[in-house]
Amino acid sequence: VLKVLLLLGALGALLGGGGGTLAARLQPHGAKVSQVAIALGKPGRANQLNVPGVGLAAGDTMQRPFDLKNAGKVDFTAVTLTTTASPSSTLDTDPSGGLHIQLDSCPKKWTQVKKSPTYTCKGAIASVLALRPVLGTNVVVPGLAHLKKKKTVHLLMTIVLPASAPNSVQGQTSTLTYTFTAI
Amino acid sequence: MNRIASTWHEAATTTKLLASLAVVAVAAGVAGLGTFATFTSSTSANQSISSGTVQIGAGTPGPANRLTVGASDLAAGDTVQRAFDLSNSGSIDLSAFTFSASASPSSLLDTDTTNGLQMVIQKCSQAWTESGPPYTYTCGGTTSSVVASRPVIGSNITMSNVSDLLTNGTTDHLLLTLTLPSGAGNTLQNQSSTISYTFTGTQRAAASK
């Protein structure tokens, strides 16, 4: 029992009084091994996420291709997506009749169909994130879980306003922020 | 003796377990701090999304909408003419326009499909020229048929020659003519109905934006 008490006492000193010291000690070590870095493609051909969608009707879809790169020195162990809205509207707060999001990947860059905001893949399309309501916090993106270091994945975000969208979703505007976090 | 020894043995085991748990706690604390402090990276993008509107409407009651004006003391063979504007003021184009009419309260005037009220809807290429009341109309432009003669009550009646209304920002000038047929018998005397007209616009087919 005495040994246990001594050990707990040492723990208290370490986590309580010496918390700052412990964190400081870990920093150089963490910086050395982590180098986790995730990066979206530069806005333009490699990232169309900032292209707005205007005048959506029920059943409409928006397709936006973008590249996502593991720019660090380690493979990812997980990637999450957090989507927030500000300003918000029923477009994002209605989980059934509001906007839904889906992610797919293509082994090559997505090809735009001529004179159309739609895209095709010259290869096998893989599901990255199944269709779900657009808002979410730390939603695990299964298809990006083990993205290798230095590798870029070509993604297509599809935003869907369901055909069942109620009239209350008419004439609404939301600005969405998509945040991808790699671990 | 054996029992006492056994008790001590158990006590000793318990101590080791506590010690092990404490060590695990330290490890978990360290791992937690490390992950939180350094092992993540984020990147984000903003996007504005807006939905459009499907909005159709009849004109403001007055010269642009006489549908609300009642008619009384109809005799067999009489007609009732009421002009009204119909507009597509939404931001989304439409794929179809339909028309429905129902009666509440109802009477033989609307339930007798042969000798009760019959309706016709016509369109004028410009605003109808009104005289009266009682209202009668002439068209200074060209007329076209929107709904051919039929019993007044019906659901989802197709409207012809209003394809221009499918595009948002357009207005059509329509004229509803009700007729109490000359063959209406005495059973149709002294009847009263209130008829509701409902126009329904359906949005265009879904598209990629």
Side-chain angles (χ1 to χ4, degrees):
Chain A
V1 175
L2 184 62
K3 276 163 87 178
V4 173
L5 285 175
L6 283 172
L7 184 55
L8 288 176
L11 258 179
L14 194 62
L15 293 178
T21 311
L22 178 66
R25 270 190 214 139
L26 282 171
Q27 287 293 355
H29 177 65
K32 183 182 172 187
V33 299
S34 68
Q35 295 284 326
V36 175
I38 187 169
L40 284 165
K42 188 180 169 187
R45 289 174 61 108
N47 179 1
Q48 306 252 323
L49 286 182
N50 60 352
V51 176
V54 180
L56 264 63
D60 280 358
T61 55
M62 293 166 48
Q63 293 191 327
R64 301 289 183 268
F66 66 103
D67 287 350
L68 195 66
K69 184 178 184 181
N70 180 343
K73 294 182 177 177
V74 291
D75 298 345
F76 291 159
T77 54
V79 172
T80 62
L81 170 63
T82 294
T83 307
T84 57
S86 179
S88 174
S89 73
T90 51
L91 275 175
D92 57 83
T93 56
D94 184 335
S96 58
L99 297 170
H100 282 56
I101 186 173
Q102 175 181 320
L103 296 174
D104 294 285
S105 70
C106 177
K108 297 181 178 178
K109 286 189 176 180
W110 291 88
T111 309
Q112 183 171 5
V113 176
K114 199 173 180 181
K115 294 181 179 176
S116 165
T118 57
Y119 296 82
T120 56
C121 172
K122 291 174 180 168
I125 297 173
S127 173
V128 172
L129 178 68
L131 190 69
R132 53 157 286 128
V134 71
L135 290 191
T137 302
N138 294 325
V139 176
V140 174
V141 185
L144 298 176
H146 301 293
L147 190 60
K148 303 286 186 191
K149 58 186 176 183
K150 304 301 178 191
K151 187 169 171 58
T152 296
V153 60
H154 306 295
L155 298 170
L156 184 70
M157 177 183 287
T158 302
I159 299 288
V160 179
L161 184 60
S164 61
N167 280 341
S168 58
V169 174
Q170 287 189 77
Q172 304 290 309
T173 299
S174 294
T175 296
L176 302 174
T177 299
Y178 309 105
T179 302
F180 291 91
T181 300
I183 300 166
Chain B
M1 287 295 286
N2 282 341
R3 285 177 69 101
I4 295 169
S6 173
T7 303
W8 276 105
H9 178 69
E10 282 176 19
T13 305
T14 305
T15 306
K16 282 181 184 171
L17 270 175
L18 281 171
S20 301
L21 284 173
V23 171
V24 169
V26 173
V30 170
L33 281 169
T35 303
F36 180 77
T38 57
F39 291 170
T40 66
S41 169
S42 294
T43 181
S44 62
N46 295 326
Q47 182 180 50
S48 170
I49 300 179
S50 66
S51 53
T53 55
V54 171
Q55 183 76 46
I56 64 169
T60 305
N65 180 4
R66 297 294 190 192
L67 286 179
T68 57
V69 178
S72 54
D73 296 333
L74 292 181
D78 278 357
T79 57
V80 178
Q81 289 197 313
R82 299 289 183 264
F84 63 102
D85 285 351
L86 198 58
S87 301
N88 175 352
S89 55
S91 63
I92 297 173
D93 288 346
L94 306 177
S95 63
F97 236 103
T98 60
F99 166 73
S100 297
S102 59
S104 178
S106 176
S107 73
L108 281 175
L109 282 174
D110 59 86
T111 57
D112 185 334
T113 55
T114 304
N115 290 313
L117 293 169
Q118 307 292 306
M119 62 163 283
V120 166
I121 296 179
Q122 293 169 289
K123 178 175 117 175
C124 178
S125 58
Q126 60 193 61
W128 291 88
T129 305
E130 183 179 76
S131 59
Y135 298 117
T136 55
Y137 297 87
T138 55
C139 175
T142 55
T143 59
S144 49
S145 172
V146 175
V147 177
S149 182
R150 53 157 292 131
V152 67
I153 301 302
S155 295
N156 298 322
I157 300 161
T158 302
M159 300 172 72
S160 305
N161 296 313
V162 290
S163 57
D164 53 335
L165 272 181
L166 301 181
T167 305
N168 62 65
T170 52
T171 298
D172 273 353
H173 308 290
L174 305 179
L175 177 66
L176 171 73
T177 302
L178 296 179
T179 303
L180 187 61
S182 54
N186 283 339
T187 54
L188 285 158
Q189 289 188 79
N190 203 30
Q191 300 288 302
S192 182
S193 295
T194 298
I195 298 172
S196 296
Y197 306 102
T198 303
F199 299 88
T200 303
T202 305
Q203 69 160 66
R204 59 164 170 73
S208 189
K209 302 287 283 185

